[in-house]
Each structure stands twice: as structure tokens, then as C-alpha cells.
């Protein structure tokens, strides 16, 4: 299974193509649109989201909402394109309009300009923008629908915003409640503090990141590999998380805390009472690069959005003069968007690992092969 995406932030639309989906997977468009709308939500989101109301359009690869086994192509239209047509239209536009040369620290602007031989950072930022993640949410939701038929679910929540942290522990079932909260947090007192922090940062023209936890329930053991480094499940899932704009750190299970503990306080001891079991899950559901049947636990750190309304110090790429970095509008905090995107890329990367192991041209074959697996 493979996903290709295309599209610019203010271009006509974003498009995605998934290759390798089996036939007869029922596509639930309402669920796709629900996740698209959740990706647009959250306290601290900027004015762009008032313009867009993202909806997925399936272009090919399905008939009467059942996949055909052919590439599944889809699009999400950018409503803002109507305001940008004369600046960005591929078939002809005024490239002198809305040029960006006050390159933003933390964005792709400067390095991208040099790498791609450009003089207008618009040619870099339009693609580097996190707007691209809308189609990754479409693909991720299709992947969820594939995984759900095998009994596998992906969920998550926001653990902290700019250092305001929820240190609680929650069951997988409790996580769903996060999505109806303004910051996808489960501790409402902590969430209030985090919202006040966002308000303060907004007044100062600043931005916030945070930490997100993603969990996977119901995956049998043995996905991934202890034989091939490139197929290790933890490597593949963390690469998927790191592929999301603004993610700067990832952890599996105890993560960085393993380094502070003795081995006896890290490794999950094994017991048997008719079946193998453990009483802890510090490994986060992955041992030796393979799922071990426990819940998969991943965490990711999102950096603050690099477009600051107060403007950071930088240098104009053309004049080489010191200036304040470019800004038009910005999210103060896009942590809820990131949470939905991270769930989506996790679901997609997991579907890839599952389909590589199981193959299957149609969903009945996939389901039969999954249920025949011996696993924990
Ligand atoms: C982004 C800048 C902002 C964000 C955008 C990501 O867009 P604009 O420049 O149009 O105000 O809103 O994210 C989205 C549009 C989205 O849908 O997530 C950036 O520079 O990365």
C-alpha cells in the first residue's frame, strides 16, 4: 500500500492516490469528513480555517463506495484558491505578486530556496505548508476503515500544550472523549490552563506546540520484523510521525524515560495462565521491532508554529538586510490538527505493515488471513 500526495496550500486542491488497497473495502465518506473537520478544529486555530470547510471527493478507485482494487484517488478543494488564483494558478499567474523573501526561521523557506534554486519562498512554502496533511487524513481514515475490519482501532489525545501538562493515565476507551474538548485534552483543569496559555501567547504574537499521545488497540503480535531493520514496526511508525510537519520528537512506550531506569523497572515481565500475559506495557506494544499484542503507545512533540505574528529576526533573501520574518496570518496553536494527523499517519503506516504481511486482493481474503494468524 502506498500513498502519493500533491497540492499546494493555496492551489486548486490537494490530491492523494492510494495504491494497493484490496477490493470490497467499504468507504465511509461521513467518517472521512468528520476527521477532516476535526483536523480543522481546536482552540488556537487561525483565520484560514474560517475560509475552508474540508470535504473529500473520491475521484476514482471505488464504485458505489466499495473499493475496486485499483488506485483510490481523492481530492480536497482549497476554497481559498479563489483568493489566490492570480498568484498561484499553474496555467498562468502573476508571480511577482505576494512574493516572500523575509524567510521565516523554523520554516522550510531559506533552505528550500537554496535547494530548489528559487528566489521567491512562495515556491517552497506552498508545498511545505501543513495544509498538505488534509489528504493524509483522508488516506488515514480509509486506512482506519481497513484496520477496523480486523478489529484494530487508533485513537489519541493531547497530553500537553507549551509545558502545561496532563500527567494522567487513561484507558483506550477514555480517549474518545478528548475529541469533543477544545484542546483534545482529558483533564479539564489542565485544559483550562492550556487555553489561558494560548490566549497569553496570542496577545504576545507568539505560538505554542505540545505533546500528543497516539494509541493502537487490537493489533495481533508479529507485525513488523526482527529480521530486517527496514521493516521494524517501531521504525516505520515513528518515521510516519516524523513525516508530519512540525513534529520534532517521537517516543515509543516509556520512550526517553528508559534511559533513567534500571532494566528491572523497564522490561515488561511475562506470565502465563493459559495464555501469555504481562502486567505492564513499558515497551509500548513493540518488542524486537514487532507488535507484541499489547496496546501500541506512541508520543510526539510538536514544535510551535514558525509563523509568529510578532515576527522573528531574519534576513531578506534578496537584499541580505536584517528584517522581521514574513507573516500574514497564523495559527497560534495547531495541536488538535496535529493529533488528528498523527492518528491518520499511524493508521496508514500500520495498514502498510499489515498489507505487506497479509497481502490479499479483496477484503474477505485479508480478513481470513488475519483471523488465521497465530499471535498474542
Ligand atoms: C500554514 C499556514 C497557514 C495554516 C496552514 C499551514 O495557512 P495560511 O498561510 O493560508 O494562513 O493555516 O494550515 C492549513 C491551511 C491547514 O489547513 O492546516 C503553514 O505555513 O504551514
Amino acid at each position: 500500500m502506498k500513498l502519493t500526495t500533491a497540492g499546494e496550500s493555496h492551489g486548486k486542491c490537494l490530491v492523494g492516490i492510494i495504491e494497493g488497497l484490496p477490493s470490497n473495502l467499504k468507504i465511509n465518506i461521513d467518517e472521512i469528513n468528520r476527521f477532516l473537520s476535526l483536523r480543522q478544529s481546536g482552540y488556537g486555530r487561525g483565520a484560514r480555517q474560517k475560509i475552508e470547510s474540508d470535504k473529500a471527493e473520491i475521484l476514482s478507485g471505488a464504485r458505489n463506495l466499495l473499493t475496486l482494487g485499483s488506485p483510490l484517488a481523492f481530492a480536497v478543494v482549497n476554497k481559498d484558491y479563489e483568493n489566490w488564483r492570480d498568484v498561484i494558478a499553474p496555467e498562468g499567474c502573476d508571480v511577482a505578486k505576494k512574493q516572500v523573501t523575509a524567510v521565516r526561521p523554523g520554516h522550510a523557506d531559506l533552505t528550500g530556496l537554496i535547494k530548489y534554486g528559487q528566489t521567491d519562498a512562495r515556491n517552497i512554502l506552498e508545498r511545505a505548508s501543513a495544509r498538505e496533511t488534509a489528504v493524509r487524513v483522508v488516506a488515514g481514515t480509509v486506512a482506519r476503515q481497513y484496520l477496523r475490519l480486523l478489529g484494530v482501532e487508533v485513537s489519541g489525545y493531547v497530553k500537553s500544550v507549551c509545558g502545561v501538562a496532563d500527567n494522567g493515565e487513561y484507558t483506550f476507551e477514555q480517549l474518545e472523549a478528548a475529541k469533543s474538548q477544545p484542546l483534545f485534552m482529558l483533564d479539564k483543569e489542565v485544559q483550562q490552563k492550556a487555553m489561558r496559555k494560548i490566549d497569553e501567547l496570542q496577545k504576545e504574537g507568539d505560538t505554542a506546540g505540545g505533546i500528543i499521545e497516539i494509541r493502537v488497540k487490537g493489533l495481533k503480535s508479529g507485525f513488523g520484523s526482527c529480521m530486517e531493520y527496514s521493516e521494524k514496526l517501531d521504525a516505520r511508525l515513528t518515521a510516519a510521525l516524523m513525516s508530519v510537519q512540525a513534529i520534532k520528537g517521537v517516543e515509543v512506550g516509556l520512550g526517553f524515560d528508559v534511559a533513567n531506569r534500571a532494566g528491572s523497572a523497564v522490561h515488561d515481565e511475562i506470565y502465563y495462565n493459559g495464555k501469555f500475559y504481562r502486567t505492564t506495557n513499558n515497551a509500548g506494544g513493540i518488542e524486537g521491532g514487532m507488535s507484541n499484542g499489547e496496546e501500541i503507545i506512541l508520543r510526539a512533540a510538536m514544535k510551535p508554529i514558525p509563523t509568529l505574528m510578532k515576527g522573528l529576526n531574519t534576513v531578506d533573501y534578496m537584499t541580505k538586510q536584517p528584517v522581521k520574518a514574513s507573516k500574514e496570518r497564523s495559527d497560534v496553536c495547531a495541536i488538535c490538527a496535529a493529533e488528528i494527523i498523527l492518528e491518520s499517519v499511524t493508521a496508514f503506516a500500520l495498514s502498510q505493515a499489515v498489507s505487506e504481511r497479509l497481502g490479499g486482493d479483496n477484503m474477505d481474503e485479508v480478513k481470513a488471513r488475519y483471523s488465521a494468524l497465530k499471535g498474542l
Side-chain angles (χ1 to χ4, degrees):
M1 210 180 284
K2 184 183 162 203
L3 170 68
T4 303
T5 74
E8 283 77 40
S9 180
H10 304 97
K12 284 181 198 183
C13 63
L14 302 149
V15 295
I17 299 181
I18 305 175
E19 285 172 62
L21 273 177
S23 67
N24 289 336
L25 172 66
K26 178 102 182 146
I27 303 294
N28 180 340
I29 299 260
D30 292 340
E31 188 187 34
I32 294 174
N33 289 335
R34 172 173 173 256
F35 279 107
L36 281 175
S37 140
L38 283 169
R39 193 200 72 92
Q40 292 195 268
S41 72
Y43 198 75
R45 273 298 237 169
R48 174 75 186 273
Q49 302 312 319
K50 295 190 177 75
I51 300 171
E52 306 296 344
S53 53
D54 294 341
K55 297 265 183 300
E57 188 184 344
I58 306 290
L59 303 173
S60 67
R63 187 167 182 218
N64 196 27
L65 291 178
L66 280 174
T67 57
L68 295 167
S70 52
L72 187 80
F74 43 86
V76 175
V77 166
N78 290 321
K79 290 196 174 154
D80 209 13
Y81 178 64
E82 291 314 318
N83 307 317
W84 286 79
R85 187 187 286 270
D86 57 339
V87 178
I88 202 161
E91 59 274 19
C93 63
D94 183 355
V95 293
K97 270 192 177 171
K98 286 196 185 272
Q99 286 199 356
V100 176
T101 53
V103 289
R104 293 161 301 169
H107 224 292
D109 302 350
L110 177 58
T111 310
L113 277 174
I114 297 166
K115 176 176 167 69
Y116 294 100
Q118 303 283 4
T119 52
D120 176 4
R122 170 92 29 225
N123 290 340
I124 307 304
L125 66 90
E126 284 289 336
R127 181 65 183 155
S129 162
R131 178 83 190 137
E132 177 260 353
T133 57
V135 274
R136 287 208 265 170
V137 169
V138 178
T141 312
V142 172
R144 273 179 210 270
Q145 293 165 7
Y146 169 89
L147 291 172
R148 189 172 295 134
L149 293 175
L150 311 179
V152 180
E153 293 284 348
V154 179
S155 193
Y157 70 109
V158 172
K159 272 194 92 62
S160 77
V161 172
C162 200
V164 182
D166 172 0
N167 296 313
E169 289 190 7
Y170 302 99
T171 64
F172 187 88
E173 287 65 33
Q174 286 173 308
L175 303 184
E176 186 54 29
K179 301 225 173 29
S180 55
Q181 292 301 315
L183 273 176
F184 292 6
M185 293 184 100
L186 289 164
D187 182 320
K188 292 193 182 150
E189 241 173 74
V190 174
Q191 182 171 252
Q192 279 302 325
K193 274 192 209 150
M195 287 161 76
R196 285 200 295 275
K197 181 79 191 170
I198 290 174
D199 293 342
E200 277 167 32
L201 291 167
Q202 181 162 28
K203 272 191 210 125
E204 292 160 12
D206 220 320
T207 56
I211 295 176
I212 292 155
E213 183 168 295
I214 301 296
R215 305 243 291 265
V216 179
K217 193 178 173 181
L219 184 69
K220 286 189 179 179
S221 65
F223 287 92
S225 172
C226 60
M227 302 296 174
E228 302 295 339
Y229 71 89
S230 57
E231 289 173 25
K232 284 176 184 281
L233 191 63
D234 38 7
R236 294 180 69 166
L237 294 180
T238 54
L241 299 185
M242 285 298 294
S243 77
V244 174
Q245 290 83 340
I247 300 303
K248 294 297 274 185
V250 291
E251 290 186 326
V252 182
L254 275 186
F256 273 62
D257 203 23
V258 295
N260 307 321
R261 299 187 183 198
S264 56
V266 169
H267 301 296
D268 305 305
E269 291 178 304
I270 302 171
Y271 304 94
Y272 189 81
N273 67 353
K275 59 178 191 159
F276 295 103
Y277 73 97
R278 306 155 194 261
T279 55
T280 53
N281 182 17
N282 293 332
I286 302 179
E287 285 173 310
M290 299 171 291
S291 59
N292 68 2
E294 301 289 323
E295 248 180 49
I296 293 177
I297 304 172
L298 308 165
R299 275 181 300 279
M302 180 192 196
K303 71 182 181 185
I305 300 285
T307 309
L308 270 66
M309 293 318 284
K310 70 175 171 191
L312 293 173
N313 292 328
T314 188
V315 172
D316 185 282
Y317 188 67
M318 299 310 287
T319 67
K320 314 293 185 285
Q321 292 304 306
V323 286
K324 287 290 180 193
S326 163
K327 55 184 186 279
E328 274 159 24
R329 61 187 172 202
S330 177
D331 300 298
V332 182
C333 180
I335 195 88
C336 293
E339 198 283 325
I340 297 296
I341 299 157
L342 293 179
E343 282 188 29
S344 304
V345 299
T346 300
F348 195 81
L350 214 51
S351 300
Q352 288 178 306
V354 169
S355 78
E356 275 167 36
R357 187 176 184 202
L358 299 181
D361 293 318
N362 63 69
M363 270 324 282
D364 282 345
E365 261 176 18
V366 177
K367 282 191 282 184
R369 290 176 188 183
Y370 188 77
S371 61
L373 281 180
K374 289 195 180 69
L376 298 165

